[in-house]
Amino acid sequence: MKEHKHLGCYGLLIEGNKILLIKKKTGPYDGLLDLPGGSLEFGETPEIALKREFMEETGLDITKYKLYDANSVKVEWKYDADTNIMVHHVGIFYKILDYKNEIKKKVNIDCKNDDSLGAELYEISKLKKDDVSAITLIELEKLGYILK
């Protein structure tokens, strides 16, 4: 089986009992809800990558944030009919404390945004393990939430 390492920066925006998640269009989490964020571009700091990815995927301009955690998971990705890839997904996580703009519920796929169909606040108590990406699940559990 092929192996792939992925490093990304992600934001945890929690308001009351809701969390901001994106609907994934591609990759190992295709069709699942995931934390907004993604890969660092060459030469970017994690904070710049976080702000850029958040804007691309959610329409939000992050104005205040705090480093929260770093963690990783391994997930198997059925890339195509003949190829399975074991992905080692490493994330740097920030709590989002303040932002500007409105959440974009629909986002177009283009050269800047290649995997988010839009963002929405979801009630955490209504989420199921099978609804969210592995990286989202471990962070929600670290925050004390238990999904069924």
Side-chain angles (χ1 to χ4, degrees):
M1 180 180 302
K2 292 183 177 185
E3 295 179 350
H4 174 72
K5 295 179 212 96
H6 176 77
L7 171 65
C9 298
Y10 303 91
L12 296 157
L13 193 160
I14 298 175
E15 295 183 348
N17 64 344
K18 294 182 177 183
I19 186 168
L20 184 68
L21 299 172
I22 63 167
K23 178 93 180 224
K24 293 292 279 193
K25 170 69 174 148
T26 60
Y29 303 137
D30 184 18
L32 297 176
L33 299 173
D34 194 22
L35 294 169
S39 300
L40 285 80
E41 292 181 357
F42 184 80
E44 268 186 330
T45 65
E47 293 84 4
I48 296 298
L50 173 72
K51 292 177 85 170
R52 177 185 49 76
E53 286 281 348
F54 235 78
M55 178 59 79
E56 291 170 6
E57 295 182 348
T58 71
L60 299 181
D61 180 11
I62 298 170
T63 57
K64 191 173 179 186
Y65 51 91
K66 181 180 178 181
L67 181 63
Y68 172 68
D69 191 28
N71 215 328
S72 70
V73 295
K74 289 189 290 185
V75 294
E76 191 170 333
W77 176 22
K78 185 160 183 62
Y79 181 77
D80 61 29
D82 302 318
T83 311
N84 285 352
I85 300 172
M86 182 57 70
V87 178
H88 183 205
H89 188 178
V90 180
I92 302 169
F93 302 92
Y94 293 83
K95 285 190 176 179
I96 307 306
L97 305 174
D98 202 11
Y99 60 89
K100 294 188 282 190
N101 300 343
E102 296 290 321
I103 297 168
K104 285 188 178 179
K105 291 190 176 189
K106 281 192 168 189
V107 179
N108 292 326
I109 300 295
D110 59 25
C111 61
K112 287 185 178 181
N113 169 48
D114 62 355
D115 64 352
S116 170
L117 293 173
E120 199 168 325
L121 286 165
Y122 291 86
E123 279 192 50
I124 298 170
S125 63
K126 293 184 178 179
L127 294 172
K128 294 181 175 40
K129 285 182 181 182
D130 292 343
D131 295 337
V132 300
S133 68
I135 204 94
T136 301
L137 181 60
I138 63 169
E139 288 306 306
L140 281 170
E141 288 176 347
K142 190 168 252 187
L143 289 165
Y145 298 100
I146 306 299
L147 303 188
K148 297 180 182 182

